[in-house]
Each structure stands twice: as C-alpha cells, then as structure tokens.
Amino acid sequence: MARAFAGSASSRRGKRRKVKKSGESTLTGHLRLLAEPTYQRLLRSEPLMRRIIPALCLVFVASLAVFRVIDLSYERDTLERQVRNEIDLSASLIAAQLSSEADELPELGFRSALQRALANSLPSGATNHGRIVLISDPSGKIIASAPARPDLDNRTLDGLLGPTQPLTVFGARAGVMLVKADFTPGQEPVDSFAAARHLSADSLGMVAIVQPQSDAFEVWRSDVSANVTLFVGTATVLLVLVYAFFAQATRAEQADEMYVATRARIDTALNHGRCGLFDWDLSRGRIFWSSSLYEMLGHTPQDDILSFSEVSGMTHPEDVDLFGLAEDLLDSGKGTVDKMFRMRHADGHWVWLRARGELQSEPGRSEPHLIGICIDITEQHELAEQSRTADLRLRDAIETISEAFVLWNVRNELVICNSNYQALHNLPPHAVKPGTPYKEVMAAATNTELAPNPIKISQRGEHPDGSYEAQLEDGRWLQISERRTKDGGFVSVGTDITALKQHEERLMDSEQRLKATVTDLEQSRETLEMQAQQLIELAHKYGKEKTNAENANRAKSEFLANISHELRTPLNAIIGFSDIMNQEMFGPMGTERYAEYSKDIYNSGNHLLNVINDILDMSKIEAGRLSIDPEEITVDEAARDAARIITTAATEKKITITNEVEDNLTVLADRRSLKQVLLNLLANAVKFTPEDGVVALTAAADGDHVRFCITDTGIGIAAADIKRLAQPFVQVENQFTKTHKGSGLGLAIARSLIELHGGTLDIESEIGSGTRVSFSLPANPNASKAEAELV
C-alpha cells in the first residue's frame, strides 16, 4: 500500500513535469488536476496518510516478524516430530531385519558380514542428515556402524549415550530421546536424537540410531536464515519507501505551497490589472475561469468547471456567438481569437471584456483548448463612447457657428472643418477629408484669400499666430484669427466682415465729407475758432486745477455743453439750406446726384444735431446745471404727444404703437423732461423692433406713484448686458456688428431725468422675445385730494 501511494504521488508530480515539458500551460495542468475528484480527495487525505503510513509500515513489519517466528517454530516442531518418527521407524526396521539374519552370519568374518548385513538392511535415506546406525554386542560394545565410523569401534553405547540412559535398559519402550552424545572423547557432548532396539540374536545386543540435533535442523536453520534475510530486506525496503514517501510528500507540499503562493501573486496581479484567465475545452464544452475573472464579474471565486450554457447565458447575444466561434475553431484546428463583447455582472449591469487567446492541443491528444486572457475594458469603452459623443458634439457645435472654422495638426494636415469653410473656399469633398495636407487643400480651393498686396494667404509662413484681414477673389472680406494649439497645430476662424467693411467705407466717405464741411465752416468762422481755442485753453487750465476724476468729468461735460451750443448754429444753417435744396424751393438743382447729396447732408445734419442735443443734455445733467420745474401734468396727454411724435418712424417700419393709460392720472413732473424720457424710450423700442412689431405704452397708478411701462417685441437684450445699459455712450452691440445708429445716450438721459424726479428705471428683457422698460414718477397729491372730495 505504501509503495502504491508513493507511486501515486510520484505519478502526480511526474504528470506536472510532463505538462511543463510538453509546453502545456500551467493553467491547463491545474484545470485537469482540479477536474479529477480522486486527486481532490487525495489532497484532503494526504496529512492523515502521512501519519498513518509509518504506523502501518511498523505494524506490517511486526506482523510479518511474528508470523514468520510462529511459522518457523511450527516448522521446527514438525521437523522434530518427523525426525523422531524416521529414527524410530528406521530403528524398528533395522532391528527386525538383523534379528532375522543374525543366525545366518558366519562366525569367521563375523564383523565384516555384520557390516554387510547392516548395509543391506538400511532403509532408503536412513543415514541422511548425519544419522549414524550402531550395533553392539551383548556387552554393549559397538561392533558395527553405518556409515562406518572406525573411531567408534570398541566403544560402548553407554559411553556414547551416557551410562544412565533409559534407552539401553528399556529399548523400544524408551522411544526416541534427546541425549548428550559423546562422539569424540575430550570434547563437549552433542545434543542428539537417539533410539535403541534389543536384538533377539544371541550374538547381538542392541541396534541404536543417533542423529545430532544440529544435522537434523540444518534445513530448518537454512530456512530461518533465508527468512531473516528476506525480513531484513523487506523491512529495509519499507523504510526506504517510507523515507522516499516523506521526502516526496515534503517536496510536493513545498511545491504546492509555491504553487499557492505563485497563484496568489498571479491572482493579485490579475485583480489589480482588471483581467482574468480562461481555459475553454472545445471538445467537451467545459470552461475554467481564474478567480480574478470571477471577481471581475462580481461572482464568488470557485474551482468548479463552468458549462458552455452557463457562460453563454452571461454573454450578450449581440456581441459574440460562442457556438459559432467554437465551430470555427474546431474546423480550422488552429488560430487566435481577439474579440470584444459584453458579459452580465452579478448585479445585472454589462461589463465590456476583451478576450485574447490561442488554440492549443496537448501532444498525443486530440483535445483542443482555447487558452487566453480577458481584460476589463469597460472604462476604455466608456471613454471611447464619451470621446465619440464629445467629437459629435464638437462637430455639431463647429457646424452651427456662423464663422468658417478649420483645425490643422502639427504636420499641417487637416483635422476638422465646417461647411462654412468648405463653402467659403469652394472646396470639393475629397479635399476636406481629415489628414489632407494644407497645401493640397489650398491647391483645391477655387476661392482663395488675397492679401492687400495681393499675395495668396496660402503662401504664408508655416507657423501662423495672430489675426489678420484678407480679401477673397470674389470680393468678400474675412477677419481670420489663427492660434497655435498645445500639440503644435493651429486653429483658424474666419469671420465674414464684408458688411462691416462696406459700412466702414461709407463711414469714411461720410467722415471725409463732414471733415470737408467742417473745414469750410472753420475757414468761414474765425470767431468760432477763436472761441473754441479759448475754450480749449480754459479747459486745459481747468483740468490742471482739478485733481480728482469727478471734477475732470464735470469739466468734460461743461466743455461738451459749450461746444455743442457752438455747433448748433452752423448745423441749423446746414440743415435749413439742405432742406431748401431738397424741396427745390428756388427751382430744380439739375443733376440727380445733387439731390442725393443734399438729402445725405440733411440726414447727417439731423443725426449730428440729435447727437449734439443728447450730449448737451447729458453734459448739463452731469454738470448739475439742468433744473426741473415740476408741474401737474396729465399722463394721458403726455403719452399721446410722445406716441404721435414717434408714429412717423414706426410707420416706416410697419410697427404698431399702442397707448393704454388709466383715466384721470396726473403726475408732478417737469413737462419737457417727461416728454424727453417717453420719446427716448419709445424711440429705442421702435429702433430695435423688426417690421410688423408692436410697441406698447401703458401707465397705471401704483400707490402714490404712477408706473409707466414701454414694452416691445424687438430683438431683446442679454441678461449680462442689461447691467451696462443706461450708462453714457454704452451700447450692447459692438462697432462691427451693430445695425442701428445712435450715440448710446438715450437711456442714460432718460435714467438721469427719472432719477432727478425721484424715480427709478427698470429693464427686463429676453433675447428674441422683446424688452420691457418701466419707471415710476410721483403722482400729484392735489389731484388725489380733489378726486377724493369729488367722490
């Protein structure tokens, strides 16, 4: 049993070495060992066997020793009985034979004849194993022996067997006895078996058979020696096997400990790396998972083999067909697998895995195994999805912007552009594919940029950075902003500024004409120049005397007020004369261009006069020189006057003006200031309301105040820009994109006049929905009392 167990352990270790030598992976060997229940039971019973086997070996050796001792003792007793029986029988036969032949022996040569007769009467094997047959005369002297022993002649039986032996007295009745035979005088007597018989012949005394005990048990002693040798050899072999078992078991235990430690390290590495091992037996449909793969899917690690249906049930059916994959691998007999698919986690969600494996077969066996590793790529997949989503959002965002957008990488290759860029340069679809070099894109363009030189912008340096303006071949203008990216590429944004350029040209023409007009006025008005110079010198002296910003601002306002007065006079003349020319009061002017020029002069003069009036009012307010004269004003009348004045401008844009004022409302305010506030607010509403819009003016009592509200359906104002409104010279739109002219003083003047009356200006607006401007003025207390008395 010990040899069998040691052989089994040796076989197990041999199998492991064979697996390694044959190139099979450690995972496959581990799978097969785990698949054998006998091996599992052997592993569990190995500690017990290590304690039982030595005891069993000792019991076996002791049992074998006792058995052989008892068996040898039984054999000795059997041999002794056999020797006694043979001696007794031989003595009886020889005595009977000699008794019948003794009378026939001749007297002459008696001894020789007796010797021959003795030899003839001996049974077969009577003298084997050291037996001696002795014949004595009646006096007891030995006269013959077989085999012949001359040294015993003339000795007596009593001297050989002992003087007091019962054998010589009783003969056959004494049987076979153990005596001390003195075969050689002077030496130690030898234990011997002896038997004696009396002879009936007168010439003969007795026949005796003597056999030394050592000769009788010679064969038995040989058996004992052989058994002792065999026992010692067997015990030695058992001890060697026990030692070998313990040595092999110790090495196996160390190997198992190393295997467990190595597996624990591998599992730890796999767990931290979010990956796991698998071994798929394609022929049997059994699949082994490492513990890290179980934990990755939220399951408790186990050493059981998974069935094909269990794994297939956890796999997303849209990602991979395991049955079809197994068929392909079995048909091909070789190949590798690299697939990404989803498997269901224990809590129900899907985990993205990437399986990479290779088909292997053990030499001499037709059992293909797909062995590989599964990596958790859920985070990478989510990041890729987020990246794709972000890329789509970025593309949508780039596509929705009104500017032409393009991004180049560090190798001057196209990364992305929007349709505006493609349409701007009339690029074919093949030229806007990602990765197209910059020079090829510009070569395919049919509407390239021209610098003012003109030089093609596509021939600029390789490292752009900054902003510049360029004119296209079709006459359009672009403002191009290019910036270097962190990775070495650059991004370019082109804004169509053709309308701004055209507007700028018109402004420059108007400015030139205005400068010419101002120059003429300056030349014709020397007095005005002298006064202006005096005002400049006075303002310079006044600025030196003021050390804080508020006094400097007041000086600026006073200067603007004074110069505005001086500018009104020539402007009134310009406006009047241009109006006369437009109406052709003194006859036609001739060429139509003169009429157009006079109309431009008239419109520009009115606009400049309005700006000067706003500046004058604002400067008076800031300088504190504007005084108000409160009086009782009927709100309905003031609202109708303001609406009537602004109706002309509203009619040109097809805008409806509504006026809703409660009856019998009066306020205590300055008439001119209230009218200017209403006109400024209504003008702003009409200016920023598109055609077919509506502007509503309402007024209602609000406690001891009257609440005025102007609401429009215009373009609206962003919430971030509302805070900046109602400040001098502040407009929401910038100088490049604004479409409505103005000085930016209307709301500022209105707010200042309202605050002078003790009221507040509130603005509420939403882009695309319109604007609501409201303010409160104190009601007339006398009117309230009169109304109460009337009631």
Side-chain angles (χ1 to χ4, degrees):
M1 183 175 64
R3 288 195 297 270
F5 183 79
S8 176
S10 176
S11 175
R12 285 185 283 115
R13 307 308 171 190
K15 284 182 180 178
R16 292 183 181 177
R17 291 192 293 271
K18 183 177 179 181
V19 168
K20 293 181 180 178
K21 291 180 180 179
S22 64
E24 189 176 14
S25 66
T26 305
L27 178 61
T28 305
H30 178 67
L31 171 61
R32 290 177 178 167
L33 290 176
L34 290 178
E36 299 175 2
T38 303
Y39 177 74
Q40 291 289 342
R41 292 195 295 270
L42 184 60
L43 288 179
R44 290 192 295 268
S45 62
E46 186 173 0
L48 179 62
M49 296 298 291
R50 293 185 62 182
R51 292 191 296 269
I52 292 177
I53 284 178
L56 292 177
C57 290
L58 292 177
V59 171
F60 175 74
V61 171
S63 300
L64 182 62
V66 172
F67 172 75
R68 295 309 300 162
V69 167
I70 294 173
D71 186 54
L72 289 173
S73 177
Y74 175 76
E75 289 180 1
R76 187 180 185 280
D77 293 341
T78 303
L79 183 60
E80 183 177 350
R81 286 193 299 272
Q82 182 180 353
V83 168
R84 288 176 181 272
N85 291 333
E86 290 178 356
I87 291 174
D88 185 62
L89 182 59
S90 297
S92 299
L93 289 175
I94 293 172
Q97 186 69 24
L98 288 178
S99 295
S100 63
E101 295 179 359
D103 294 339
E104 297 178 3
L105 294 177
E107 295 181 1
L108 183 62
F110 178 78
R111 286 185 174 234
S112 298
L114 181 61
Q115 189 71 33
R116 287 193 297 273
L118 176 61
N120 294 329
S121 63
L122 291 177
S124 177
T127 58
N128 291 341
H129 305 296
R131 291 181 190 149
I132 302 174
V133 180
L134 302 175
I135 299 175
S136 68
D137 58 10
S139 63
K141 183 185 295 185
I142 299 173
I143 58 176
S145 61
R149 291 285 301 270
D151 58 323
L152 298 179
D153 291 344
N154 298 322
R155 292 189 62 187
T156 62
L157 288 177
D158 292 338
L160 179 63
L161 302 177
T164 59
Q165 276 295 333
L167 290 174
T168 58
V169 178
F170 298 104
R173 290 180 295 172
V176 181
M177 299 184 63
L178 184 63
V179 298
K180 295 285 188 179
D182 185 10
F183 290 101
T184 303
Q187 293 186 0
E188 187 72 23
V190 179
D191 290 334
S192 303
F193 292 103
R197 295 291 186 272
H198 291 91
L199 299 175
S200 60
D202 294 337
S203 59
L204 300 176
M206 299 185 68
V207 61
I209 298 178
V210 180
Q211 183 180 7
Q213 189 180 30
S214 59
D215 293 337
F217 292 127
E218 182 179 0
V219 176
W220 178 79
R221 285 198 301 271
S222 298
D223 290 342
V224 170
S225 298
N227 277 274
V228 170
T229 302
L230 181 61
F231 173 77
V232 172
T234 303
T236 303
V237 170
L238 285 176
L239 291 176
V240 171
L241 290 177
V242 170
Y243 172 76
F245 167 76
F246 275 101
Q248 187 72 10
T250 301
R251 287 195 298 270
E253 184 177 3
Q254 293 174 353
D256 289 340
E257 291 177 355
M258 293 177 60
Y259 167 75
V260 172
T262 303
R263 181 179 178 183
R265 288 193 292 268
I266 292 175
D267 288 341
T268 301
L270 293 175
N271 286 332
H272 286 291
R274 298 293 296 165
C275 55
L277 304 177
F278 68 89
D279 186 333
W280 183 3
D281 187 349
L282 296 176
S283 60
R284 295 184 176 89
R286 300 183 303 179
I287 303 175
F288 169 77
W289 281 359
S290 65
S291 59
S292 57
L293 188 53
Y294 279 104
E295 293 178 358
M296 213 162 39
L297 295 175
H299 297 282
T300 303
Q302 54 186 358
D303 291 332
D304 293 337
I305 305 302
L306 296 174
S307 64
F308 177 84
S309 60
E310 290 176 325
V311 178
S312 180
M314 290 187 287
T315 306
H316 200 288
E318 298 178 0
D319 297 338
V320 64
D321 181 10
L322 294 181
F323 184 76
L325 177 62
E327 284 189 337
D328 294 340
L329 292 174
L330 289 174
D331 292 340
S332 62
K334 59 181 180 179
T336 59
V337 174
D338 189 352
K339 289 186 175 294
M340 292 187 294
F341 54 90
R342 286 169 288 179
M343 294 196 76
R344 189 178 298 278
H345 194 271
D347 59 9
H349 73 273
W350 293 103
V351 177
W352 276 96
L353 299 177
R354 181 178 184 179
R356 305 182 68 178
E358 183 177 0
L359 192 64
Q360 293 186 358
S361 296
E362 184 180 354
R365 301 180 67 178
S366 58
E367 297 178 359
H369 285 251
L370 181 63
I371 301 173
I373 187 171
C374 283
I375 306 172
D376 185 357
I377 60 170
T378 304
E379 294 182 0
Q380 294 89 328
H381 192 273
E382 291 177 353
L383 290 176
E385 288 294 332
Q386 293 176 3
S387 177
R388 284 194 291 269
T389 303
D391 184 63
L392 292 176
R393 291 175 179 172
L394 177 61
R395 289 179 180 274
D396 292 341
I398 292 174
E399 194 64 32
T400 55
I401 62 176
S402 59
E403 290 81 4
F405 179 90
V406 62
L407 177 63
W408 310 89
N409 61 18
V410 67
R411 295 184 298 275
N412 270 357
E413 295 174 345
L414 180 65
V415 177
I416 190 174
C417 69
N418 61 0
S419 58
N420 291 334
Y421 180 83
Q422 183 179 0
L424 190 65
H425 295 289
N426 295 328
L427 292 170
H430 68 83
V432 293
K433 292 182 178 180
T436 307
Y438 175 81
K439 292 182 179 179
E440 294 183 9
V441 174
M442 290 296 102
T446 60
N447 188 25
T448 57
E449 303 98 344
L450 295 177
N453 297 3
I455 299 175
K456 286 189 177 182
I457 298 303
S458 59
Q459 299 173 353
R460 71 199 189 292
E462 296 295 332
H463 302 285
D465 193 5
S467 178
Y468 59 91
E469 294 180 353
Q471 186 178 12
L472 300 178
E473 293 178 349
D474 61 0
R476 287 181 293 173
W477 279 89
L478 295 179
Q479 183 180 18
I480 301 176
S481 299
E482 293 184 339
R483 293 292 183 271
R484 182 68 63 183
T485 59
K486 291 183 179 181
D487 61 352
F490 65 93
V491 61
S492 177
V493 179
T495 305
D496 189 352
I497 58 172
T498 303
L500 292 178
K501 279 290 184 179
Q502 294 174 353
H503 183 64
E504 183 179 354
E505 290 177 359
R506 290 195 298 269
L507 288 178
M508 290 178 64
D509 291 341
S510 299
E511 185 179 1
Q512 292 296 331
R513 290 195 299 268
L514 183 59
K515 284 183 179 180
T517 303
V518 172
T519 299
D520 294 340
L521 290 174
E522 288 179 350
Q523 291 177 356
S524 63
R525 298 280 183 182
E526 295 181 358
T527 304
L528 181 61
E529 291 180 357
M530 293 176 60
Q531 292 177 353
Q533 186 64 31
Q534 292 175 357
L535 289 174
I536 292 173
E537 292 177 355
L538 180 62
H540 180 68
K541 294 178 181 179
Y542 186 79
K544 290 182 179 180
E545 295 175 357
K546 298 296 181 178
T547 58
N548 53 58
E550 182 179 359
N551 292 335
N553 188 43
R554 184 178 292 109
K556 176 200 70 174
S557 300
E558 291 179 354
F559 168 73
L560 291 175
N562 291 330
I563 196 171
S564 297
H565 276 295
E566 299 300 329
L567 290 175
R568 276 184 177 182
T569 301
L571 283 176
N572 287 331
I574 293 172
I575 293 170
F577 290 141
S578 62
D579 188 26
I580 292 173
M581 294 170 67
N582 287 334
Q583 296 179 9
E584 298 181 350
M585 297 178 63
F586 300 105
M589 290 185 292
T591 306
E592 293 182 359
R593 287 189 177 182
Y594 289 153
E596 182 181 353
Y597 292 159
S598 63
K599 185 180 295 184
D600 290 340
I601 293 172
Y602 179 77
N603 292 334
S604 299
N606 280 326
H607 176 66
L608 184 59
L609 181 61
N610 291 332
V611 172
I612 291 174
N613 288 334
D614 290 342
I615 294 174
L616 179 61
D617 292 339
M618 195 69 215
S619 63
K620 286 181 179 181
I621 292 172
E622 290 184 346
R625 295 191 303 170
L626 181 65
S627 60
I628 60 175
D629 186 14
E631 61 178 300
E632 181 181 353
I633 300 173
T634 302
V635 175
D636 185 30
E637 179 183 354
R640 284 199 308 271
D641 291 344
R644 183 181 65 255
I645 295 173
I646 207 67
T647 298
T648 302
T651 303
E652 293 178 358
K653 296 180 67 176
K654 300 179 181 180
I655 296 174
T656 303
I657 304 295
T658 61
N659 184 10
E660 297 180 5
V661 180
E662 292 183 2
D663 296 335
N664 301 323
L665 280 181
T666 59
V667 294
L668 189 63
D670 182 79
R671 186 178 296 277
R672 177 181 174 278
S673 297
L674 178 59
K675 182 178 181 180
Q676 187 172 1
V677 169
L678 293 176
L679 286 175
N680 287 352
L681 296 180
L682 288 173
N684 274 347
V686 171
K687 184 188 299 183
F688 294 102
T689 298
E691 292 184 358
D692 298 325
V694 176
V695 176
L697 171 60
T698 61
D702 185 14
D704 56 352
H705 285 71
V706 175
R707 189 73 174 175
F708 293 84
C709 181
I710 294 89
T711 305
D712 62 63
T713 59
I715 60 176
I717 307 169
D721 296 328
I722 292 178
K723 296 180 180 179
R724 300 190 299 112
L725 292 177
Q727 297 181 8
F729 305 103
V730 172
Q731 289 181 312
V732 172
E733 298 175 306
N734 56 48
Q735 60 179 344
F736 298 104
T737 60
K738 67 180 182 179
T739 57
H740 305 284
K741 60 185 179 179
S743 61
L745 292 174
L747 282 178
I749 293 174
R751 186 200 64 180
S752 299
L753 292 176
I754 291 171
E755 291 178 351
L756 286 176
H757 286 78
T760 56
L761 180 68
D762 298 324
I763 302 176
E764 300 175 4
S765 182
E766 184 178 352
I767 296 295
S769 299
T771 304
R772 181 176 183 272
V773 181
S774 60
F775 63 92
S776 298
L777 293 179
N780 185 11
N782 295 329
S784 300
K785 292 180 180 179
E787 183 178 356
E789 291 176 358
L790 183 60
V791 173

